[in-house]
Every structure is written in structure tokens, then in C-alpha cells.
Amino acid sequence: MRKQEEEVVEMTLQQNREFEDFASDVERGLTTKSKYLSPKYFYDKVGSQLFEQICLQPEYYPTRTEASILNKHAHVISKMAGSNIKVIELGSGSSSKTAILLSYLSLQKKKIYYFPIDISSSILIESTKRLKSQFPNATITGIRSDYNVGIDRAVATAECMAAEKNNETPDTKLVLFLGSSIGNFELMEARALLGSIRKKLHRNDFLLVGFDLQKDEAVLNAAYNDKAGITAKFNLNLLARINRELDGNLELGKFEHCAFYNSEQQRMEMHLVSKTDQQLYIGALGKTFVIREGESIHTENSYKYTLNQIAALAVDRGFTVKKNFIDKKRWFDVAFLSPS
Ligand code: AVI
């Protein structure tokens, strides 16, 4: 088989796997007593575009706060990481905040090696195109994957590049995990993820993680209930995606977006609450699910951290917090970690 044909076969297999995973996760989530859907399914093409719009809403402070921290401290961060690094980003999205860091790195060194990793191919294609025109000397290799497999593929690709070109790509890795995406993991999962990243890093590598910090509940509730209703659309798109991809007959108008701070769990929660007793038919599963008026489908948790919790998490997984870069309001932390 030719390489191109192999790639088409691999892509089809991957699409089939993704379809099956989505179908079985939806079935599992709608069958249990407390219904839930994984937030990873928010990010199809429509969902990724809606998320980009969320980031521009005045109430949604995390994106602009993190960007302001990176703008202010990018020179220190790039100095701490050194000039000879390859940048690997988990869940890169539009890569717009990373561009701030890449600008500083490009001032310091001749060549940038950047490996954005994301599950959305459309956003990866767009961002890679934009960054290539912004940084013409950069080697940018988009990797469509989840986090764990993505880092391995980035490292393997960098090694192949070095072998092919018979030159040295940088040894040191700077892994970025920005946007407070770590908050969408359950605490055990966040711990597991940091542990597995740690195993892929050498002593002289670095990890930069964006953590959303605990703050006034009113600020949090406003951020996930923006006036323009974009977060509500983003949440409801999960149902639209089930209709599109799994041949569902879900009526979006019969659900309500509900987001609130759960102070006991220290997290924002997002739900889709049924406005009425209804039956949800999903063609791809050949099944009907019953949902009662007022019953909710839990779609996302977004954990908010304290600096102590961040330090404990880092130490527990074999990292040292070299520095916390925090904004003036102390709403967001970009933590610079190194393997201990
Ligand atoms: C991607 N993630 C960090 C966002 C968050 O704030 O938890 C997702 C999001 N959900 C609603 N608004 C934004």
C-alpha cells in the first residue's frame, strides 16, 4: 500500500473508533442514574468555534487574564526555559496565547520548533496556517491526538526530523498546558495526567500549566453564564452533536443551560436541565432514553485551585514549582514547573 493510501485507511479507522467511542459514551452517560456526558465531546468544529467566542466574552476572564500574564512575563518564562527548546502544547486550540511566548522565543533563538496537539483537526489546521505566516522560520507540526499519545508522537516526530535532516533539533522540551484545561479533569485524573507527563520529561525539561484560581463566586458564575448566551450555545451544542453524528432527535429548546459554583467541591459545574418529561431517541444506538422534567445531564466540571493545592499536586507528581506567575487580582496562575 502506498503511504497516502495507508494514511486514508488509518484516518478511516480512527474516525470509526471515535464514532464508536462517542456512541458508547453517550449510551453509558444517558443510562446511569445521574446522567452525564464527557466535556471532551464539546469540541467538534462548531463547539471549538463557540469556545473561541466564549474566550472573547467580557465575563469570561480566564483567557484574557492568562494572556495578560504571558504578555507580562513571557521574557522571564522564555529565559527560564532557555533558548534551545522544542515547545509541545497540549490542547493547543487557536494557539493565540502561545504566539505571545513564541514571539519572545523567536527573539532569543534562530529557530522555533512547535508541536501543537489538539483533538480538533479544523482548529489545528487553521492555527498552524496562521502561525506559519506569523513565524516563517518556525517548524510547526500539528498533531491531532489526545494528550498522552500526542506528547509521544511529538517527541518521535522531533527525533525523526533530526535524523532526516541530519541536524539537531533541541533536546529540551517545554510542555505547555494552558487555558486552565487541567480544571476540567477530576482531581484524580489531573494527578494521573501530571504523573504521565512527568514520565515523558527529562530532568532539564519544563512544564507550564495554567490554573484558574478560587475567587468570588459571583465572578465565576458570571463567567459561565455570559449575557450573550454563548456558553449556553456551547453547552447545548453537545446535544446538537448527538443529533448530527448519532442520528438523534433531541430538541434543544427542551433543555436549559445551567452553570453554578459548587463551593463544597470547589468547582464550576455545567448541566443541561430538561424542561419537560421527554424521550430521547438516538438512531445510531437504536435506543430511547427517558429524562424527567428538572432532571439534568452533567456536562462539565471546572475545578478552581488554590496555590497550596497547586504546589501539593506538583510535588505529589514529581515536580517543583519554580515560579507562580499570577495577575494582580490573583485570579489566575501560570505555574512554571520543573521535574524534581
Ligand atoms: C476549556 N476549559 C478550561 C473551559 C473552562 O473554563 O472550564 C471550558 C468552558 N466551559 C465553559 N466555558 C468555558
Side-chain angles (χ1 to χ4, degrees):
M1 235 193 293
R2 288 210 321 267
K3 191 158 187 269
Q4 249 180 352
E5 286 167 337
E6 274 174 27
E7 274 169 14
V8 172
V9 171
E10 179 51 41
M11 244 170 69
T12 313
L13 286 174
Q14 191 169 338
Q15 278 164 357
N16 287 347
R17 274 195 300 269
E18 282 169 11
F19 171 82
E20 277 159 22
D21 286 352
F22 186 32
S24 62
D25 284 351
V26 167
E27 181 171 14
R28 194 173 315 117
L30 295 183
T31 313
T32 53
K33 196 158 164 271
S34 304
K35 294 183 171 49
Y36 69 93
L37 292 169
S38 165
K40 74 176 175 192
Y41 294 116
F42 280 138
Y43 303 94
D44 65 346
K45 189 167 186 208
V46 179
S48 298
Q49 282 164 354
L50 285 167
F51 180 65
E52 292 304 312
Q53 282 186 51
I54 288 178
C55 294
L56 302 174
Q57 297 312 301
E59 299 93 339
Y60 194 73
Y61 62 86
T63 312
R64 62 167 192 279
T65 310
E66 188 179 41
S68 76
I69 294 171
L70 290 173
N71 264 313
K72 192 167 173 195
H73 300 287
H75 62 293
V76 182
I77 294 170
S78 46
K79 257 201 197 121
M80 285 171 80
S83 57
N84 196 29
I85 51 168
K86 50 180 176 264
V87 180
I88 298 173
E89 180 165 21
L90 307 177
S92 51
S94 67
S95 299
S96 54
K97 282 166 289 174
T98 316
I100 302 169
L101 213 55
L102 296 182
S103 301
Y104 277 91
L105 289 170
S106 69
L107 291 177
Q108 284 191 0
K109 66 191 289 284
K110 289 184 212 91
K111 190 119 181 76
I112 292 173
Y113 291 86
Y114 175 48
F115 300 87
I117 301 167
D118 206 282
I119 42 172
S120 164
S121 53
S122 54
I123 207 130
L124 211 48
I125 292 165
E126 274 165 37
S127 59
T128 305
K129 205 166 137 199
R130 195 169 17 80
L131 287 171
K132 276 189 174 156
S133 69
Q134 205 178 340
F135 303 101
N137 289 329
T139 299
I140 300 170
T141 311
I143 295 176
R144 184 174 175 269
S145 170
D146 62 25
Y147 302 140
N148 273 317
V149 177
I151 300 192
D152 289 338
R153 280 178 52 196
V155 173
T157 311
E159 278 164 10
C160 274
M161 279 157 62
E164 264 173 32
K165 291 184 185 163
N166 202 18
N167 67 359
E168 289 275 307
T169 51
D171 271 345
T172 309
K173 298 188 275 297
L174 171 62
V175 177
L176 308 179
F177 192 29
L178 300 175
S180 69
S181 298
I182 194 158
N184 295 133
F185 288 78
E186 291 306 309
L187 301 175
M188 291 281 281
E189 291 169 359
R191 226 175 267 148
L193 179 65
L194 275 201
S196 101
I197 296 174
R198 172 66 189 87
K199 284 195 192 124
K200 297 170 201 294
L201 299 188
H202 298 300
R203 284 298 289 271
N204 53 345
D205 293 334
F206 302 102
L207 174 64
L208 196 65
V209 191
F211 286 94
D212 198 9
L213 297 175
Q214 288 180 18
K215 58 184 66 62
D216 185 351
E217 281 189 30
V219 175
L220 290 167
N221 285 324
Y224 291 78
N225 291 285
D226 60 282
K227 285 210 184 86
I230 311 294
T231 309
K233 272 194 194 157
F234 173 72
N235 200 4
L236 285 160
N237 177 56
L238 204 42
L239 304 182
R241 184 174 179 184
I242 293 175
N243 287 345
R244 280 192 295 271
E245 294 182 23
L246 301 180
D247 192 20
N249 76 345
L250 283 52
E251 289 179 61
L252 275 56
K254 290 190 175 172
F255 287 89
E256 197 174 7
H257 161 74
C258 174
F260 58 89
Y261 187 63
N262 179 335
S263 53
E264 213 170 281
Q265 299 287 340
Q266 304 178 328
R267 68 188 189 200
M268 278 303 298
E269 290 187 11
M270 288 216 306
H271 296 257
L272 289 162
V273 179
S274 181
K275 291 180 185 170
T276 165
D277 287 352
Q278 49 177 322
Q279 299 200 336
L280 315 173
Y281 178 71
I282 299 181
L285 297 171
K287 278 194 177 167
T288 299
F289 303 87
V290 173
I291 186 162
R292 299 279 169 220
E293 182 181 346
E295 192 179 343
S296 98
I297 305 175
H298 191 162
T299 52
E300 186 183 62
N301 289 322
S302 193
Y303 284 86
K304 308 303 170 190
Y305 282 80
T306 63
L307 292 179
N308 282 342
Q309 287 168 340
I310 294 167
L313 175 64
V315 169
D316 183 50
R317 299 287 93 179
F319 286 100
T320 305
V321 180
K322 286 279 168 202
K323 190 151 175 63
N324 288 305
F325 296 97
I326 302 167
D327 60 298
K328 261 198 201 138
K329 289 181 178 160
R330 304 184 76 77
W331 280 4
F332 203 94
D333 174 36
V334 176
F336 190 98
L337 313 182
S338 72
S340 38

